[in-house]
Each structure stands twice: as C-alpha cells, then as structure tokens.
C-alpha cells in the first residue's frame, strides 16, 4: 500500500519527529497530503488502535492554506498527521505490532519523499489518471502519455516519466513566505504500489528520537505563564475545532538550547504554511438579503475601490450590476471622478455610452470629470474638449455651471480651468452666487442685509459684554497651535488618556494582572493580524465577480472593504471595541449591534482618510486660519453668525478641494456585513489561558468570548459575551491608559459651523446634524439642498452653542477624584467598586433545598448588582479621566439634534447634560464681573440647588443664604472634613461648587468686580405643561405652572396633590375603604412623577407603577392594599389634571387621535417646527427576514408608538424651538448662553437680560397659530386619505370619513392672556 499514491507531495526537510515544535496539547504536527480514501481509512484505524493510552498518531482534515499557495489547490483535500505523546504502559503484542507498522510507515515516508528535488522550492504534481480510461468530452483532450504539464510541474521531472515528456513540462515555482524550504519530489509511485505492510522492516522509528515532555517550572518573568513563541506561529484548524496554535502561549519555561529557531535550518523539519480558511457562510436571513439586493453595496463598494485604487474591480462590479438595478447619475459620477484622477479617458467614454444607452443624462459633475481627465493626460486633444463643450450645450449645461454646481478634490478646479482656458483664453470663472437668507418669520429681524446689520451694530449698547468668542483667552498663535493639535488628533482617530485610578504605585496583584493582560493583547493582536491576512486572501480567491454563487458573490463584494485598513489597524480597532463594549461587564452585547458598531468605526476611518487623500487638511488649515480672527473678535461675532462668516470664507477661498463634499452614510446592512466578518474573527481568534488566575489549574486555551441566545420579548437574540475570567482580569488590571475615539472628546478649537445638514462639528470626523436613521423620511428631507435656507435658524442656534468655550473647575474635580479613589461614596453619588459588595453565601452539604434556592437567588442578585456597579463606576471613571486630561485646557462641545429637534452635545461621556457630578466640574472659560446683582444671583442659585425653599420667593431665598453664610464658607473650605452642610442638598456637588464660588467672591476686594466663571441656571417650571397651557390658553393650568405672575412660585405638584387629597377625603366620607387607608399619605412626592410625565404620554397603567414605587416606602399598607391604592391614586391624579388642565387634555386627545388615523393609513407622523425643522417619527415594527430599500428590517408602521409618541414629541419640538430662539437673541445681545433643554445657563451678571429674552421669545413663539399651522400641514399632506372601515373609531369620531375630518378639529383656546408671561418672575427661575 502506498501512502503517497495518487497525491501531490508537499516539500518538507529531513528531520526526526522529536524535532517538531510542540503545542500546549503535547502534539507534534506534520503536514502531508493524501486523497486516497482507502489508504486514509486504513491509516486512521491504525491511529485509533495505537491511540488508546499509547503514543498516538491521528489523521485530521486540513481546510486552510496559505495565500501564496492558493493557486496550487484543486479538488484535493490535504490531511494533517498529528503525533501526540503520552505515558506509554506496557504494550501487548497486537498494539506493539500495529504501532511498529505505523512508525515504520512514517519513517519510510520521510525517507522516500526526499529522493529528488531542488532546494528552496515547492512543486505541485498532477494527480495521475485513473486506470479506467474514459473518452473525454472536452475538445483537445490528450491521453496521459501526451498530456500537458501540470500548473506548477517542473520541466526536468524524470522520475517515472520519459525524458521527452519531462522536457516539455514548464517549471512552475513558488517562493515561500518567511520560510526557506527544500523541495521534495514525489516518491516512486510504481515502487510504492508494490509494497506491502507485511514486508516493512522491523523496529520502525527509533523511540529515542521522540523526546519526552520534560517537567518545567515557571520563571519569575513569565507572569501567568505567557510568552510568545514566534517559531510556532502556525495555524492548523480541524473541521470541528479552531486550533489556536498560530499564536501559541508558551506556558512552560524552555531551555534556550531546546528552543526552535524561527529561521529554518537544514536539520529542522519544517511544516509548510497552511492555507487560510474559506470565508464562513453568513447567516441565511442576512445572506438572503445580501444576494437579493446587491445595490445596497454598490455605492460603498465604488467608494472603497476608488479610495484603494482598485479601479478595475470597481469597473467590473459596476458593469455586472448596471443592467440588474437602476443606477442614477450620482453613481456614474462616482465612477467618473475616480477614473478622471487616473486620466482614463477611454473608460470614461465607455461610461458615457452606457449612460446614453440607459437614458441617463449627464450633469455638470459628469462633464467636469471629463475635462479634469483631459487635463491630467499627457496630450490634450482639442477636438475632445470641443466635443465635450458642445455636448454640454445640448444638455443646457454652461461652463459656469461647472464651477457653480460641482465639487472638487485636490487641484480639480485649477486643472479644469486650465483646460477650458486652453480653448477660451478669455474665460474667467464666476463668483459664487449670493447665499439666500432664512425665510422663517419668527427670526426675520435677525437676518438682514450686511449693510443694515452693520448699521445696527454701531449702537454701543449692543457690544461690550465681553463674553463672546475667545478674545482674551488665546492669542492667534495659540489658536493656530490648538488647531493643529486637534487636527492631528482626528487624523490619528484616537487619543490615549491616563486613568485617574493610576497613582504610579499599583499593588503587586494589579501589576501581575496588567502583565498577563498585556501578554494576551500581544498574542491577540498577532492572531488577529494573521487572521485578517488569511481572510483577505480567502475572500480574494472566492470573489471572482458577482455573477457566481452566493458565497462567491458575498466574498467578492466584501473583499475591498477588508483592504480599507492595514491588518494591524483592523486588529487595533477590534481590540479597542473589545475593551470599550465587550469586556466591560459580563452582560455582553448583541452580535448585530457589535457588528454594526465595528462597521461604523471602519467607515469613519475611511471618511477621514478619504478627506486627507482629497487635500481637505491643507484647505481646512488655510480657512481656519482666517476663521480664528472671527473667534478672537467679539465685535465680529455679534456682527456675523458663525455660519455666515464661514460661508464668506468659502466664497473667497475657491482654489483647492470643496469642503462641503456630501458623504453618503453606508446602509445598515453594509456596516453589519463588514462587522460580522470582524465579530467572527474576535470570537474565533481571541483565546484565554485558563490558568492565568490559578497557576495550579490545567493549562489550556479557551475562547475569550462566546455566543449565547437570549429571549428579548418574543425574539431570540444572539449575544457575544466575555468569559468571566476576562472580565475579572480587566477589572483587576486597572489599565493606566484608556483609548478614546476623537468623537467622544471635546474639541480644542471651536467646532466647524453647520452650514449644511452634512457638514459641521468636528474638523475631519463625519458628523450629522440630526440623529435620525439613514435613508429615513427625515434624513431625505434634510438632504434636500433646495430647502437649506429654511434650516438656517436651527443651524445658527447650534453654532452659537458650539462657540461657547469651557474649562474645568479644578478645585471641585480634585475633591471628586479624591472621593472616587477612596472607593467612592453612596451618600455622595460617587459609584463604588463592585468589590465592596459582600460575597453571597455558599452552599454546603448541609444546606437544605429551600436554603439552596435562596442562595441561588442571592447569587443572581449579587451578579446583577456587581454588573450595575461596575458599569456605573466605569462611566464615572471615563468622565473624570477626560476632565482630568482637559483640566488645563480650554475646550468646546460640538452639538447636533435628535429627530425631534432637541439639542445634545456630541461627546457622550463628558458634557454639561450629564449628572450632578459632571455639571459641577464645568464652568465657562470666559468670565464676567459679577456687577451689582451677580452675587445675589449666586446666593439664590445656591438655595435653588439645595432644594430647601422651593415654595419661597427669591427674597426669602436670598435672606436664607445670608443666614447660612457660615455654613456655606465652611463647606467651601472643608468640604469633606467640616460640617458638610452641602451634603444635605438635592444637587450636592453643584451646591459645593457654588459655595466655593460665593466664598471666593465674598473674600475678594470688591465682589462687584470679581470675575465669575460660574454658570447660573434658570429652570422652567414643569416646562411641558407650560407649553400645553400656552397652546390652549388654559387659565387655571397657566397659573399652576407660573405663566401668570405671583409673589411666590406656584407648585403644580402641590396643586395636584391638594386636589387629589380633596377627592380622597370626599370618598372616605362616602365609605370607600381604600380612601380611608390613604389618609395622610397623599403627598407631593407621591404624585410628582406622574404629573411630570403626563406631558410625555404616560398612561394610567404607567402612572399606577410610578405611584406604587412611592407607596412602597409607606407603612400601614400591605402589598395588596398598596396595589389597590396605586390604581386609585393614578385615576385621581388624572381626574385632577383634567380639572386643572382642561385644554391640555383636549389638545393631547386631538394629537393622539390624529396620529392614530395617520399611522393606520400606513404613514409615519411628521410635522415642521415653527423654526422650520422637519420632524418625522421613526417608529416601525420589525419583521425579520424582510428589508426595505435602505437595509432596515422594518416595513410596517408601529401604530401604537406613532400614536402615543406624537403628543410628547410635538411638545419636545416646541421646547427646543423656544430654546433656539433664546439662543439666537442672546447671541445678538452679546450674552453667553447654553442650555440643558428647558434649563438655561448664563453668567450671574446677565441673568436678568437672559430672563427677559427667554420670556419674550416664549410669547413670540406661542403668539403664532401653532396648532392651526400643524392642522394645515397635516390636512395638506394626509387630509384626502379615506379612513378604512376596519379602523376602530371613538364614539365622538364615528362620523369622520377622512383624516382631514379629524385634523381640522383643532381645540378652541381658552382665555388666558399670554402677555402675562413677560411679568412672571418664576416662569423660569
């Protein structure tokens, strides 16, 4: 029997088996291929027989091949011989004989396979034809004696071949990567066929050649037994197991003389590199949609191919899809621009012919690409240029359109101008067209012509606050340096920040875990880098175009995406995602969410590098140098809005690339498809040594992450969870450095002003103005350039907020960090580490079943609390570490909107919308003198923060502050060791910060001249109900929420509680038992949350749960009584609100009914805010396996969410509009202004001015016919739609036939005089 019969031979060098490298399983591996099924069965039986408690050898299928050997593979399946050493007891005769046969066979195999060959080369030999000759159906087939040489068959092969035949065979060579190998030619097949197992020589392989496993001890430097063995970077995988021997963790100390040299020597046995795995087939649902609609991938694919200079692949994919899907001129222009950079005029002509055949008219961007291509050619054909210009005229495109309606990269503009002037030397490009002004009537007085604006600013009263811009904070040179620093951060795409937990003296246990973690990370990175390389090559081989099978098509589509980054960069990105999202807690993350996040991260990096490739950085630096002058001049900031000044700079600096390139976001499935590949690598490649935490345990490699399926409602969702050992390791390591994306950090310079819905915020990092789903109705409306002027007021408000500079309140930060390092404090709302939790009880042999069940519940609760505490602790660690990093810096926050129009800072961890701790750390970077009333406002603000005198007037609060001044000063001087008066406040840390500011002002020479940086807050009184009361002119409700002036603030929560108590008392008199039990238990605290959330659409059931939570603290009621009481009080609260806010309930019902019928008609509810911002509710039901045109698995309107969400979302859009109006007019007045939704911030000296502007803009906003305008909008859009007979109707709506019938039923307003707001002190206070 011949072991090498009918197989190709891989070259190996002569060596004994004991010189093979050994992995952690005690295996020595030899790679030899065979496809003979009979021989393999016999050999496998011999291996099984010898493998029982003896030295064993096994045959395992190998599926992976190195990238450079991919062309050698046909249909043969090589196999892997594994030699595994074990303790060998006495062998019986049968076992010894079988083992002898096996050893002899392997020895002979090694000797016979080295008879021929040329050193340093691989050869691939063709498979001999079967003995049964069959006539070939292929044209030109030759018999075996006249066959052509194999793909890599050498010319001078003579063994068992005639010399004439050998001379005709071309010599095909393969150079191995990193390995110097001697080639081995095939053994004599005829001779091997005559051999018999019985005729083999006795003795077999000498046993002294097999080196036994030595006892080894850990060295002191090998913490956790981790050392990288570079000589064993091999990857062998079986069909059922992923072997991690490519990146081996050498867990034992090896003598230097025994180490295997990574450089291959003549006396070493070398195993040829195995081939990378074929790409795993995606999930069936996902795969179905990928292959059903490849158009999702076309635009991103072209974008990536052009970025990576894969022009041929882009053309191939484009040509194969253009006849299968509708392609618009935008996709053609992407191809044309890429080809123009290469000067590929022939390909451009082909694309123009294709456009003509498809009936697509080229636009100005198309012809600009032609002229740019000609300009980059060595020889410019005048005839081609003339033909291009004449074709433009046929399509009504002028030469001026080429400069006014197109975007440019690098030197495109100058190249095109040179070509045009070569034909028409007198041509001068036009100046940009004048920018349109905002059309919103609410702010028409803010948008005047430049001359009028200049005249209006001559009034000295309009200038002089000194609180706008950066004047006095930075010089021009410092501003330029900070710009370069910020640009460099965004180019690097990440920043390393030192953890506040790192004090320079970690304990021994922490150091040990850090070293173990670092060793793992080194191995993980090497493993991921190799996996990325293999994955690339596998996808490259499989992707031969998109017309083949599904898997080939999938691979062909994704191959370019795997080339966006270098393998090392991909590995860093995946490891960063592991640290950020996966390894933080044992909860894990949904695999789809993680896939989408990884795809997003790759896309962000692509956008930044694409911008750099197009020359954005140089153009941006030139423009920002001029933009610095604007921020350094307060007069300029009042004369121009940031957007206006930036647009003026764009119109002046025309050369170079266009900065307003529109970058289309990738579809959801595009991100997820790329991310799925990376997630599978993470789960497959990252391994843990099980003995890292317990050196006595058995050492083996286990997955660091595993897949679990969790039911979420009715859906079974796949989660990626970290191994608990990894979580413990990362918690214990307390890594000193943390890496953050630049998108989660503040900026060192003012953000770019929003001048379109796609451009603004960070310098290079892509940011969108609205956080709405890609491709949604709202996103499409915001992408319409013809409506850009309608959104100027919204953009200008965002720009005003973004222009406010901040700095860190260092004294407060130091106190908070000291408490944080001292294991936190539950009383001070500083999260404690999970280690402070008491350990749950253990189960012993004496534990009863009932006690064991109790212990299991305790353990479950312990794990839940541990995860929550760790999450909270890490959240504060992030924000405090970022604050500590920026403690000596001036920084800015870029802003954008949610789908309702509410404003949020882009950095998520550290911003003024955070909790009490975060807000206390932030102060304005630019201070202002307190003036006459500033100190009084500081004192009033302090009492507001404490929550001590909520029902008292400002004068009473000021008097109380004076009485408590000794305690205030003591709090400022000894926050942690004094009388701790501040710790009794509602908002403790902000109160402490205010105490310190008051102490500094009081101790200054002149408090009126004291420069204060502290922000004073003015908060709306239940702002949602304020808007409802204003819309309905509800007199009683308006008085309850302070729209009417009073000497003391009205408390709507107390008012509702009083009405509820009156109803309870009446019911108690009537003999209602539950009302009698509630005597003395109806308090403000019980009803507050329900009243607060009534404007957000809370239901009776939701109100019952809210009240039940408050009643749990009450005594005298059992569990059943509390449940009944919560239901009773929920209904009582709703009845009281109906009496107090009659018009509010009518408006809510009208909004809810309108949304219900619109949603039932199959439409999402949308509207336009009074400032012109389009809003559309993105509420859809998910139906898995079905996708819409943008890759979202939602094809059905969620009627319930659309109905319940309309009223609260509409009110949110109104409070956002009020905030923006206040922002715009505060900027005009020269006042520093920021907001937290309905809480407005400014300096102490400008509180009165801001309050006046706030009230004026509220009256102006609700002076508009807001509900009537909404009714007209809905009627125009949906009014003609007939309501289906199957739709349920309320009794009062039984007669309506169309949606117009319901949306026209606008509730009539009450009699409240809205101008009373102007005199109301406690409207915002």
């Amino acid at each position: 029997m011949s072991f090498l019969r009918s197989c190709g031979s891989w070259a190996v060098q002569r060596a004994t088996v004991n010189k093979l490298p050994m992995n952690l399983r005690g295996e020595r591996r030899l790679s030899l291929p065979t496809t003979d099924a009979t021989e393999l069965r016999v050999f496998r039986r011999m291996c099984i027989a010898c493998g029982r408690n003896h030295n064993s050898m096994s045959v395992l299928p190998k599926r992976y091949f190195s990238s450079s050997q991919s062309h050698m593979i046909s249909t043969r399946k090589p196999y892997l011989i594994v030699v595994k050493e074990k303790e060998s007891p006495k062998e019986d005769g049968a076992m010894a004989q079988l083992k002898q046969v096996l050893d002899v066979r392997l020895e002979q195999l090694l000797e016979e396979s080295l008879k021929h060959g040329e050193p340093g080369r691989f050869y691939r030999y063709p498979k001999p034809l079967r003995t049964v000759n069959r006539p070939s159906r292929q044209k030109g087939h030759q018999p075996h004696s006249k066959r052509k040489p194999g793909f890599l068959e050498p010319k001078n092969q003579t063994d068992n071949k005639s010399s004439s035949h050998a001379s005709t065979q071309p010599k095909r060579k393969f150079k191995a990567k990193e390995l110097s190998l001697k080639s081995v030619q095939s053994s004599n097949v005829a001779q091997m066929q005559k051999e018999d197992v019985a005729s083999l020589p006795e003795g077999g392989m000498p046993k002294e050649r097999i080196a036994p496993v030595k006892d080894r001890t850990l060295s002191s430097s090998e913490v956790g037994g981790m050392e990288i063995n570079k000589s064993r970077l091999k990857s062998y995988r079986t069909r059922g197991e992923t072997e991690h021997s490519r990146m081996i963790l050498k867990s034992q100390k090896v003598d230097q003389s025994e180490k295997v040299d990574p450089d291959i020597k003549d006396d070493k046995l070398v195993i040829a590199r195995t081939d990378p795995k074929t790409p795993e087939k995606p999930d069936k649902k996902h795969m179905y949609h990928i292959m059903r609609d490849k158009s999702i991938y076309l635009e991103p694919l072209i974008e990536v191919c052009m970025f990576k200079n894969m022009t041929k692949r882009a053309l191939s994919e484009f040509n194969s899809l253009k006849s299968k899907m509708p392609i618009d001129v935008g996709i053609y222009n992407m191809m044309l621009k890429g080809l123009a950079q290469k000067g590929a005029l022939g390909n451009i002509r082909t694309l123009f012919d294709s456009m003509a055949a498809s009936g697509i008219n080229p636009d100005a961007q198309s012809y600009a690409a032609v002229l740019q291509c000609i300009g980059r050619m060595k020889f410019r054909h005048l005839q081609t240029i003339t033909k291009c210009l004449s074709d433009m005229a046929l399509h009504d495109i002028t030469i001026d359109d080429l400069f006014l309606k197109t975007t440019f990269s690098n030197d495109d503009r100058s190249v095109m101008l040179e070509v045009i002037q070569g034909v028409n030397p007198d041509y001068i490009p036009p100046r940009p067209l004048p920018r349109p002004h905002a059309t919103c009537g609410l702010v028409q007085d803010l948008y005047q012509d430049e001359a009028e604006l200049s005249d209006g600013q001559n009034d000295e009263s309009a200038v002089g606050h000194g609180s706008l811009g950066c004047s006095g904070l930075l010089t021009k040179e410092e501003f330029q340096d900070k710009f370069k620093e910020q640009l460099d951060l965004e180019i690097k795409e990440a920043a390393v920040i030192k953890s506040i937990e790192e004090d320079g003296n970690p304990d021994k246990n922490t150091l040990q875990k850090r070293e173990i973690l670092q060793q793992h990370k080194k191995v993980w990175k090497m493993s991921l880098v190799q996996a990325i390389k293999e994955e690339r090559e596998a996808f490259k081989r499989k992707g031969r175009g998109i017309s083949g099978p599904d898997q080939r098509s999938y691979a062909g589509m994704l191959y370019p995406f795997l080339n966006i980054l270098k393998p090392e960069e991909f590995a860093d990105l995946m490891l960063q995602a592991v640290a950020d999202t996966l390894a933080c807690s044992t909860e894990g993350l949904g695999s789809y969410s993680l896939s989408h996040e990884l795809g997003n991260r790759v896309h962000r990096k692509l956008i930044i590098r694409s911008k750099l490739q197009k020359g954005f950085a140089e153009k941006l630096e030139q423009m920002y140098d001029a933009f610095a002058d604007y921020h350094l001049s307060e007069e300029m900031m009042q004369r121009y809005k940031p957007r206006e000044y930036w647009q003026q700079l764009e119109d002046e600096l025309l050369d170079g690339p266009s900065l307003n390139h529109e970058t289309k976001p990738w579809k959801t499935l595009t991100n997820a498809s790329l991310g799925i590949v990376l997630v599978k690598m993470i789960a497959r490649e990252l391994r843990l040594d099980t003995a890292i935490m317990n050196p006595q345990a058995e050492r083996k490699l286990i997955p660091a992450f595993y897949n679990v399926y969790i039911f979420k409602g009715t859906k079974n969702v796949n989660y990626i969870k970290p191994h608990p050992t990894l979580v413990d390791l990362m918690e214990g390591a307390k890594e000193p450095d943390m890496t953050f994306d630049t998108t989660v950090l503040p900026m060192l310079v003012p953000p770019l002003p929003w001048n379109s819905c796609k451009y603004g915020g960070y310098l290079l990092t892509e940011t969108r103005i609205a956080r709405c789903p890609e491709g949604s109705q709202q996103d499409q409306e915001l992408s319409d350039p013809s409506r850009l002027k309608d959104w100027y007021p919204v953009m200008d408000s965002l720009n005003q907020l973004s222009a406010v500079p901040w700095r860190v309140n260092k004294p407060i930060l130091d106190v908070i960090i000291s408490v944080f390092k001292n294991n936190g404090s539950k009383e001070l709302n500083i999260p404690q580490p999970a280690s402070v939790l008491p350990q749950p009880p253990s189960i012993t042999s004496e534990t009863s079943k009932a006690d064991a069940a109790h212990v299991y519940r305790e353990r479950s609760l312990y794990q839940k609390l541990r995860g929550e505490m760790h999450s909270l602790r890490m959240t504060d660690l992030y924000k405090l570490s970022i604050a500590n990093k920026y403690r000596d810096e001036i920084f800015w926050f870029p802003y954008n909107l949610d789908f309702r129009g509410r404003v949020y800072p882009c950095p998520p961890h550290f911003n003024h919308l955070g909790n009490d701790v975060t807000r206390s750390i932030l102060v304005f970077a630019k201070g202002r003198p307190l003036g006459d009333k500033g100190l009084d406002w500081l004192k009033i603000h302090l009492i507001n923060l404490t929550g001590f005198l909520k029902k008292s007037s400002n004068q009473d609060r000021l008097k109380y502050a004076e009485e408590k001044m000794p305690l205030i000063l003591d709090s400022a001087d000894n926050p942690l060791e004094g009388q701790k008066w501040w710790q009794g406040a509602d908002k403790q840390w902000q109160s402490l910060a205010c105490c310190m500011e008051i102490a500094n002002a009081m101790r200054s020479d002149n408090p009126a001249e004291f420069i204060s940086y502290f922000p004073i807050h003015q908060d709306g009184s239940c702002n949602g109900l304020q808007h409802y009361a204003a819309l309905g002119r509800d007199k009683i409700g308006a008085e309850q929420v302070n729209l009417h002036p009073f000497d003391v603030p009205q408390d709507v929560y107390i008012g509702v509680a009083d009405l509820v108590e009156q109803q309870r008392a009446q019911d108690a008199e009537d003999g209602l038992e539950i009302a009698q039990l509630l005597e003395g238990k109806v308090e403000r605290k019980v009803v507050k949350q329900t009243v607060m959330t009534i404007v957000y659409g809370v239901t009776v059931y939701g109100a019952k749960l809210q009240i039940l939570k408050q009643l749990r603290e009450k005594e005298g009621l059992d569990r059943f009584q509390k449940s009944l009481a919560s239901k009773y009080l929920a209904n009582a609260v709703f009845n009281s609100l109906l009496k107090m806010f009659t018009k509010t309930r009518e408006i809510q019902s009208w909004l809810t009914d309108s949304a219900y019928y619109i949603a039932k008609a199959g439409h999402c509810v949308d509207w336009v805010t009074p400032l012109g911002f389009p809003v559309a509710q993105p509420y859809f039901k998910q139906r898995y396996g079905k996708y819409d045109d943008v890759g979202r698995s939602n094809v059905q309107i969620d009627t319930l969410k659309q109905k319940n969400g309309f009223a609260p979302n509409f009110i949110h859009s109104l409070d956002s509009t009020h905030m923006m109006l206040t922002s715009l007019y505060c900027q005009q007045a020269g006042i520093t202004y920021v907001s937290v939704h309905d809480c407005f911030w400014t300096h102490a000296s400008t509180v009165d001015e801001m309050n006046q502007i706030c009230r004026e803009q509220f009256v102006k906003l609700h002076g508009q016919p807001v509900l009537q305008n909404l009714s007209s909008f809905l009627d125009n859009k949906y009014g003609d739609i007939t309501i289906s007979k199957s739709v349920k109707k309320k009794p009062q709506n039984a007669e309506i036939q169309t949606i117009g019938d319901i949306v026209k039923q606008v509730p009539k307003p009450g009699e409240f005089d809205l101008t009373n707001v102007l005199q109301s002190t406690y409207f915002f206070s």
Side-chain angles (χ1 to χ4, degrees), residues 497-500 738 877-885:
I497 293 179
K498 186 177 180 180
S499 170
I500 59 169
M738 299 183 293
L877 176 64
Y878 289 163
K879 67 178 64 173
L880 294 177
S881 298
I882 294 172
N884 195 51
K885 167 72 174 179

Side-chain angles (χ1 to χ4, degrees), residues 128-129 133 141-149 160-166 168-169:
L129 297 179
N133 294 324
H141 173 74
Q142 298 176 344
H144 178 61
S145 60
K146 298 181 181 180
R147 67 178 178 83
K148 294 182 180 180
N160 289 331
K161 297 180 176 69
S162 64
S163 60
S164 60
H165 173 62
T168 62
Q169 295 175 343

Side-chain angles (χ1 to χ4, degrees), residues 1007-1026:
E1009 296 179 359
F1010 175 77
I1011 304 299
S1012 175
Y1013 302 89
F1014 197 81
I1016 303 299
H1017 309 170
Q1018 295 290 280
D1019 200 352
S1021 178
C1022 200
N1023 191 243
L1025 285 175
Q1026 286 180 328

Side-chain angles (χ1 to χ4, degrees), residues 678-935:
L678 304 181
V679 168
K680 288 184 177 180
M681 286 188 211
I682 290 173
R684 184 180 68 238
E685 302 293 337
L686 303 194
R687 298 278 168 146
L688 281 174
D689 184 355
T690 57
I692 57 178
M693 308 299 285
N694 182 13
Q696 304 301 324
E698 179 185 0
R699 293 188 176 277
K700 61 179 180 179
L701 294 173
I702 60 174
F705 300 93
Y706 54 95
N707 288 281
V708 297
Y709 286 86
I710 300 175
F711 277 100
K712 297 288 186 180
T714 59
K715 300 186 290 289
N716 199 10
V717 182
N718 177 231
Y719 265 68
I720 305 293
K721 288 198 171 188
H723 195 282
T725 303
L726 176 61
V727 177
D728 292 339
L729 179 62
M730 298 198 72
E731 287 183 12
K734 298 178 181 178
E735 290 192 274
D737 294 330
M738 299 183 293
T739 303
F740 292 93
D741 291 339
T742 52
T743 54
V744 303
L745 298 176
M747 296 183 65
L748 298 173
V749 291
L752 295 180
W754 290 102
N755 59 82
S756 75
C757 294
K758 303 289 185 180
Y759 183 66
Y762 291 98
L763 302 181
L764 294 175
T765 307
E766 192 76 7
T767 312
R768 303 172 63 199
I769 196 171
R771 305 176 185 183
C772 55
E774 297 93 342
S776 64
Q777 175 182 332
Q778 186 177 22
D779 184 56
Q780 294 174 11
E781 290 187 23
L782 290 172
S783 301
D784 185 359
S786 64
R787 299 182 56 190
L788 189 62
K789 63 180 182 301
D790 298 335
W791 308 318
Y792 279 168
V794 175
M795 295 179 189
D796 291 338
S797 176
L798 292 178
N799 296 334
Q800 181 275 320
L801 297 171
S802 300
V804 175
W806 298 84
R807 63 162 41 117
V808 169
N809 190 341
K810 290 187 281 188
I812 285 291
L813 177 62
D814 292 336
V815 176
I816 295 174
I817 289 178
S818 67
V819 176
F820 185 89
K821 287 185 175 181
N822 194 25
N823 284 336
S825 171
K826 185 177 181 179
E827 294 75 18
L828 298 178
N829 293 320
I830 303 297
Q832 297 177 289
S835 58
V836 303
L837 281 176
Q839 292 292 330
S842 59
I843 298 177
T844 64
S845 58
E846 299 178 356
T847 306
S848 64
K849 289 185 177 180
D851 292 339
H854 176 72
V855 170
Y856 283 126
R857 286 193 296 269
E858 289 291 324
R859 287 183 176 179
S860 177
L861 180 61
Y862 170 80
Q863 292 296 336
K864 180 181 179 181
L865 290 176
R866 180 181 175 86
E868 291 175 354
M869 292 180 68
H870 178 69
S871 178
L872 292 173
R873 179 84 174 173
M874 293 303 296
T875 298
D876 273 29
L877 176 64
Y878 289 163
K879 67 178 64 173
L880 294 177
S881 298
I882 294 172
N884 195 51
K885 167 72 174 179
Y886 286 82
R887 64 184 300 134
D888 297 318
E889 301 283 358
I890 298 170
F891 50 88
W892 288 259
F893 295 122
Y895 290 80
N896 62 359
L897 309 164
D898 70 358
F899 76 94
R900 302 165 298 185
R902 272 198 154 189
V903 177
Y904 294 87
C906 294
H909 302 302
F910 179 56
N911 61 66
H912 64 287
L913 263 70
N915 59 8
D916 176 48
V917 172
T918 313
R919 295 185 188 188
S920 67
I921 298 172
L922 289 166
V923 294
F924 295 132
K926 199 165 185 180
R928 291 202 55 198
L930 286 176
D932 297 336
K933 295 184 179 180
L935 184 57

Side-chain angles (χ1 to χ4, degrees), residues 1036-1068:
I1036 299 177
E1039 292 175 352
Q1040 290 294 324
V1041 292
N1042 294 296
L1043 295 188
H1044 187 79
F1046 289 98
D1047 294 334
V1048 294
Q1050 300 299 301
D1051 193 329
V1052 65
Y1053 310 118
I1054 294 178
V1056 172
D1058 291 341
L1059 287 178
V1060 171
E1061 174 59 23
Q1062 292 175 13
Q1063 181 178 341
R1064 186 211 62 81
Q1066 182 63 43
D1067 292 340

Side-chain angles (χ1 to χ4, degrees), residues 181-418:
L181 301 173
K182 290 183 178 180
S183 65
V184 179
Q185 296 186 352
S186 175
S187 59
N188 192 318
V189 176
Q191 179 181 351
M192 297 293 287
Q193 289 175 343
K194 295 177 183 179
E195 293 178 352
D196 193 312
V197 175
S199 66
L200 294 175
E202 299 181 359
M205 184 181 295
K207 290 189 176 182
E208 60 270 13
R209 293 187 181 184
I210 302 179
V213 180
K214 296 183 178 180
D215 294 331
R216 300 182 175 102
T217 58
L218 294 176
S219 66
S220 59
S221 63
E222 295 172 344
V223 180
M226 308 291 291
E227 182 179 340
I228 300 173
N229 189 341
K230 295 184 179 178
S231 68
R232 296 160 62 191
L233 301 182
K234 305 291 180 185
S235 176
Y236 304 113
R237 295 183 174 89
T238 65
R239 190 171 301 275
E241 175 187 12
T242 301
E243 182 63 48
H244 197 263
S245 57
R246 185 194 311 109
M247 307 301 173
I248 296 296
L249 307 180
K250 189 166 62 179
S251 61
Q252 292 134 335
K253 180 180 178 181
V254 182
D255 187 79
Q256 188 65 29
S257 62
E258 296 181 356
K259 290 186 178 180
V260 182
D261 194 339
D263 296 326
I264 305 304
K265 305 299 182 183
D266 290 342
D267 59 346
K268 300 290 176 71
L269 178 66
V270 177
I271 302 175
R273 282 284 301 148
T274 57
D275 196 72
K277 68 177 189 61
T278 55
E280 298 183 39
K281 195 168 183 178
D283 179 71
K284 288 184 178 180
K285 283 182 188 174
H286 182 70
M287 189 70 201
Y288 166 77
H289 181 62
I290 288 173
M291 307 322 302
R292 182 177 66 85
D293 189 3
K294 302 183 185 71
S295 62
I296 291 176
Y297 296 86
L298 183 57
E299 287 189 60
L301 184 68
I302 295 174
E303 178 187 1
V304 173
C305 288
M306 293 306 177
F307 170 72
K308 295 301 294 183
N309 197 20
M310 298 180 179
T311 310
K312 291 183 179 179
R313 179 175 287 270
L315 283 169
S316 173
E317 305 289 357
F318 177 83
N319 290 331
S320 61
L321 274 180
K322 66 183 181 181
S323 60
K324 303 175 183 179
M325 55 171 283
I327 296 181
D328 59 18
V329 69
I331 299 179
Y332 274 100
N333 287 340
M334 291 177 65
M335 295 292 302
L336 291 170
K337 291 180 71 172
L339 294 171
Q341 297 292 326
K342 304 293 181 184
L345 187 59
N347 290 329
I348 288 180
R349 285 185 175 129
T350 303
L351 286 180
F352 264 79
D353 292 340
S354 176
M355 293 172 71
S358 302
I360 299 175
N361 293 324
D363 59 9
Q365 191 73 60
S366 309
Y367 287 107
V370 176
L371 297 177
Q372 292 159 15
C373 177
I374 295 173
R376 288 184 169 84
M377 297 174 64
K378 187 174 182 180
F379 300 103
R380 300 176 181 175
H381 301 282
L382 182 62
Q383 184 179 1
T384 304
I385 300 173
T386 306
K387 179 67 167 59
C388 177
L389 296 178
S390 62
D391 284 350
M392 287 169 49
L394 294 177
H395 291 92
D396 296 326
I397 299 174
T398 65
I399 297 179
D400 288 351
D401 291 338
L402 300 179
F403 294 91
L404 297 175
K405 298 180 180 180
T406 61
T407 58
F408 303 102
S409 301
N410 296 310
D411 58 346
D412 286 350
R413 189 176 190 276
S414 59
V415 168
M416 185 175 68
L417 179 60
E418 183 179 352

